Amino acid sequence: MKQIKILLILIFCSTVLYGAKKGEGTLIVTVNRARIYKKASAFSKQVGRLAFGAYIKIEGQEGQWVKLSFNVREKSGDLKKVKGYIHLKSLINEENFKRQAESVKERKDREVKKGTGVTPFSEDDEIAAATKGFSEEDETAAATKGFSEDDEITAGSKGFSEEDEVTAGSKGFNKDVEAKYKKEHPKYKYNLVNKIDNRDTPNLYAVLKPWWKKAKLGKYGPYNPIKMKRKK
Amino acid sequence: MKQLKHIKYKTLILFFIIGMIISLTSQCELTKGLIKSFVPMGGLIVGSAEAVQKLHEAYKAYTKEFTPKEEYYIGRSVSASLLQKRRIYSRKGNTPIESYIAKIGNTLAMASNLPETYQGYRFIVLKSRSINAFAVPSGYIFITTKLIETAANEDEIAGALAHEVSHVVLRHPTKSISSARKTEIVLDLIKYGASKATSKNKLLNSLTKSFGGVLDDIGKSVLKGYDKDAEKEADLAAVQLMINAGYNPKGLSAMLRKLKVGGGVHGSPKDRARDVDNKIATYSGKIPKMRRYRKNRFKDYVRKGKIRKVKRKRRAS
């Protein structure tokens, strides 16, 4: 009987320790280039983007939004601390992330604290995007002007690479599975889907803000979550 | 007596192991902790800790939802299959009408509970003579030129897009995978994933087979529509979405009334429009107005995009 009691105590202790380890407050970005907003709303200004697999330390939570701070390297080379919000559904805990990546340890150095994996947006870029027309070409211009080509490449390469993804192949649908499926179905229009995927608008806020204003949409609509919070 | 006590211990340990195996499928944090601590021990008892761990991982992976990345790959392949027989409006997607649709769609997506998918929402205009819009996992949303032509204003297009965004937010496409298919995936993973000797190729073949099955299930639902409950759920979620974004939700009921085809398991469009109107009538907050600015903008964009407006009879209001 004594042996069983000891066994039960051991189970209890290990469970408590495991739970404590889980509640450290670190989450991982699970979408490709997640948007970081100034306030807890998707209608607020966009301050940057985070690469897939970046670690973030939670500083607080407002509804479905997680508060975080990160360092951005300015043009002068200095690090500037920026606060922002990211949607909870763009994040995942480490345990679930392992389904997508096995080489989590290798990527620890990509922590947001160090300012890597973050693509910041400056005021100038926003103005540039806002003053130009609304065509798709302008959106592309807004996308590339926010940061230098090098920055983007740096952020991208430090993110979770496709090779890493392949290592996680044993646990679900990924690029390997898609490639095999594509071979079996040569008539499927993957080339068109690739083109569609490339239609990215990095700073959506800068493009949509002038478009919302007169139309009373988004942050100018009757349900602006930021204004509603202030009123409360 | 001593022998009896020994048997009791053995029975207790046996019950403990059975309990652990049952709790493998559980989502409870406490049992997860227990599993994590004792799976290696269970493995030692059974004879192979690694096999048990793999079994545990396979179970864990498929008792949970698909990750955004898995949804992305499913969405890509469903889109690739759908585009086989459909014509895209433009390859670059930079025409004024496509840009306009993307702006309406992104505004709605930003107002939703899922503002971002793995690769972001993509709104694709298809050249088609049928009034249709459909959503594919991970936020690939297709809308036909005929639907754009049929709409009387921006709010009606927003209604159609809000309905599709709601399907993505509520994860209806991946929920449409049959339970038989899910069991098949789990069994395949256990069969191949738990075996130490299995080569990566065998597992890849098995996963590709499952992937094809999943795509078939989703493809059918995407084109034929979801069941009545899912459509209703998406309609009601779309009303809230439109209000949050600043659009008048009556645009959705107006668009639903323009649909000719329907009924059966998906619910008749007229009934759905009535449900939407009831929801709007019982809404306690302020309903955004239909703005003239948006009406004018709609006309400009549709003309710029050279989409021919169809003549329609004006209904008496």
Side-chain angles (χ1 to χ4, degrees):
Chain A
M1 210 57 197
K2 219 175 181 180
Q3 278 171 313
I4 292 174
K5 271 183 188 175
I6 293 164
L7 193 73
L8 285 171
I9 291 164
L10 274 170
I11 296 168
F12 180 75
C13 290
S14 61
T15 312
V16 169
L17 280 171
Y18 177 67
K21 202 193 163 198
K22 276 202 80 174
E24 276 171 353
T26 307
L27 289 173
I28 305 165
V29 176
T30 186
V31 299
N32 193 15
R33 308 187 72 215
R35 295 172 205 277
I36 315 164
Y37 299 92
K38 202 174 180 182
K39 285 164 188 166
S41 162
F43 291 141
S44 77
K45 194 179 166 183
Q46 203 178 304
V47 288
R49 292 184 91 173
L50 270 170
F52 172 79
Y55 276 72
I56 65 150
K57 205 169 183 185
I58 307 164
E59 292 192 353
Q61 197 177 338
E62 275 184 43
Q64 288 203 315
W65 295 86
V66 169
K67 197 177 178 182
L68 75 149
S69 63
F70 55 95
N71 291 325
V72 169
R73 198 169 290 279
E74 288 184 316
K75 279 173 188 172
S76 59
D78 301 331
L79 283 177
K80 186 188 166 191
K81 199 170 189 181
V82 180
K83 284 191 176 180
Y85 290 85
I86 189 166
H87 199 271
L88 195 61
K89 285 189 180 168
S90 302
L91 302 167
I92 200 167
N93 63 21
E94 195 165 326
E95 191 196 345
N96 286 339
F97 186 75
K98 279 177 188 167
R99 280 177 63 192
Q100 301 177 68
E102 282 179 353
S103 55
V104 175
K105 275 178 196 168
E106 291 168 22
R107 295 164 43 255
K108 277 271 185 188
D109 62 336
R110 288 191 58 257
E111 282 182 40
V112 184
K113 271 184 190 174
K114 291 171 190 169
T116 53
V118 180
T119 311
F121 291 111
S122 72
E123 285 287 338
D124 302 338
D125 308 319
E126 197 183 313
I127 294 160
T131 50
K132 284 184 178 180
F134 301 131
S135 73
E136 201 67 37
E137 287 94 314
D138 297 327
E139 284 177 32
T140 319
T144 49
K145 279 185 182 174
F147 38 86
S148 74
E149 199 67 35
D150 296 337
D151 290 339
E152 199 173 354
I153 291 160
T154 316
S157 63
K158 283 186 180 172
F160 192 38
S161 72
E162 292 296 345
E163 286 81 69
D164 293 333
E165 198 185 304
V166 174
T167 59
S170 57
K171 288 184 189 73
F173 301 148
N174 57 26
K175 210 184 175 185
D176 266 3
V177 177
E178 190 196 275
K180 192 159 173 26
Y181 190 75
K182 195 177 162 182
K183 262 189 188 174
E184 288 170 11
H185 299 84
K187 284 185 179 174
Y188 280 19
K189 303 275 183 187
Y190 280 97
N191 56 339
L192 265 182
V193 179
N194 290 339
K195 279 191 176 168
I196 291 165
D197 272 351
N198 289 335
R199 294 177 192 177
D200 187 31
T201 313
N203 196 347
L204 260 178
Y205 174 83
V207 176
L208 292 174
K209 192 186 159 192
W211 195 78
W212 289 335
K213 204 170 183 180
K214 280 186 183 172
K216 300 279 179 210
L217 293 172
K219 68 184 264 185
Y220 301 102
Y223 289 91
N224 183 351
I226 304 153
K227 271 187 190 171
M228 281 160 85
K229 222 176 274 167
R230 268 192 221 141
K231 275 183 188 173
K232 273 182 190 174
Chain B
M1 192 65 192
K2 212 176 179 181
Q3 228 177 0
L4 198 75
K5 213 175 176 182
H6 189 68
I7 292 164
K8 260 187 183 179
Y9 276 133
K10 269 191 171 177
T11 324
L12 269 167
I13 291 165
L14 194 72
F15 270 109
F16 180 72
I17 294 163
I18 293 165
M20 295 312 286
I21 292 165
I22 292 166
S23 61
L24 279 171
T25 49
S26 166
Q27 297 293 310
C28 172
E29 283 298 314
L30 190 79
T31 46
K32 268 188 199 171
L34 287 167
I35 295 160
K36 189 110 180 173
S37 322
F38 279 88
V39 156
M41 193 188 277
L44 284 172
I45 295 164
V46 173
S48 164
E50 210 172 318
V52 175
Q53 185 71 36
K54 277 195 172 183
L55 188 74
H56 169 220
E57 277 171 13
Y59 257 115
K60 248 183 13 178
Y62 283 91
T63 48
K64 282 179 184 168
E65 280 179 349
F66 286 107
T67 65
K69 201 162 196 176
E70 284 167 333
E71 277 192 353
Y72 167 65
Y73 283 112
I74 294 171
R76 268 176 63 84
S77 293
V78 174
S79 303
S81 124
L82 291 174
L83 286 170
Q84 249 189 130
K85 287 176 185 172
R86 282 164 189 83
R87 279 190 303 157
I88 202 164
Y89 195 77
S90 85
R91 280 186 163 252
K92 285 183 182 173
N94 58 358
T95 62
I97 192 68
E98 285 171 305
S99 175
Y100 177 62
I101 295 295
K103 279 170 186 165
I104 302 172
N106 277 313
T107 305
L108 290 160
M110 284 162 106
S112 76
N113 285 332
L114 186 73
E116 277 187 279
T117 57
Y118 179 76
Q119 190 71 12
Y121 285 86
R122 295 286 186 269
F123 298 89
I124 306 125
V125 179
L126 296 173
K127 280 183 189 172
S128 170
R129 284 183 183 179
S130 64
I131 304 173
N132 205 357
F134 42 87
V136 163
S138 201
Y140 293 92
I141 292 166
F142 296 86
I143 184 167
T144 61
T145 45
K146 183 74 178 176
L147 192 147
I148 301 166
E149 284 169 12
T150 313
N153 52 52
E154 190 175 310
D155 293 46
E156 287 188 13
I157 294 188
L161 290 175
H163 175 86
E164 298 309 325
V165 170
S166 298
H167 276 312
V168 175
V169 173
L170 296 164
R171 294 206 148 86
H172 286 157
T174 41
K175 278 180 190 169
S176 65
I177 302 166
S178 68
S179 50
R181 187 87 62 201
K182 281 178 191 165
T183 317
E184 188 189 300
I185 298 170
V186 177
L187 288 174
D188 273 0
L189 270 158
I190 294 165
K191 193 174 154 191
Y192 296 109
S195 157
K196 202 180 170 182
T198 309
S199 70
K200 198 186 163 188
N201 271 348
K202 270 187 182 175
L203 184 63
L204 191 65
N205 287 342
S206 149
L207 275 168
T208 312
K209 194 185 134 213
S210 310
F211 189 65
V214 163
L215 298 187
D216 283 348
D217 282 355
I218 295 174
K220 275 176 204 163
S221 305
V222 163
L223 290 176
K224 288 182 182 172
Y226 303 94
D227 60 50
K228 214 173 175 179
D229 292 339
E231 293 294 349
K232 193 179 175 180
E233 196 185 8
D235 284 340
L236 302 185
V239 170
Q240 190 59 55
L241 202 61
M242 290 179 81
I243 292 171
N244 291 348
Y247 282 110
N248 188 323
K250 282 182 182 169
L252 174 60
S253 53
M255 184 45 90
L256 282 169
R257 285 197 176 91
K258 285 174 184 169
L259 299 176
K260 286 173 192 168
V261 205
V265 285
H266 322 298
S268 100
K270 277 186 183 174
D271 290 346
R272 284 170 58 193
R274 202 179 48 230
D275 287 342
V276 168
D277 283 339
N278 288 341
K279 165 91 177 170
I280 299 166
T282 54
Y283 191 74
S284 55
K286 197 180 163 190
I287 304 284
K289 286 176 190 170
M290 225 172 255
R291 300 266 165 187
R292 186 175 289 172
Y293 179 80
R294 292 203 294 262
K295 277 188 182 178
N296 294 338
R297 182 165 76 179
F298 168 80
K299 282 176 189 168
D300 282 350
Y301 271 106
V302 171
R303 232 178 279 145
K304 266 187 199 172
K306 289 176 186 173
I307 289 188
R308 189 179 52 83
K309 290 273 281 170
V310 285
K311 284 178 188 172
R312 60 183 178 279
K313 285 176 191 172
R314 281 199 176 184
R315 277 186 289 112
S317 59

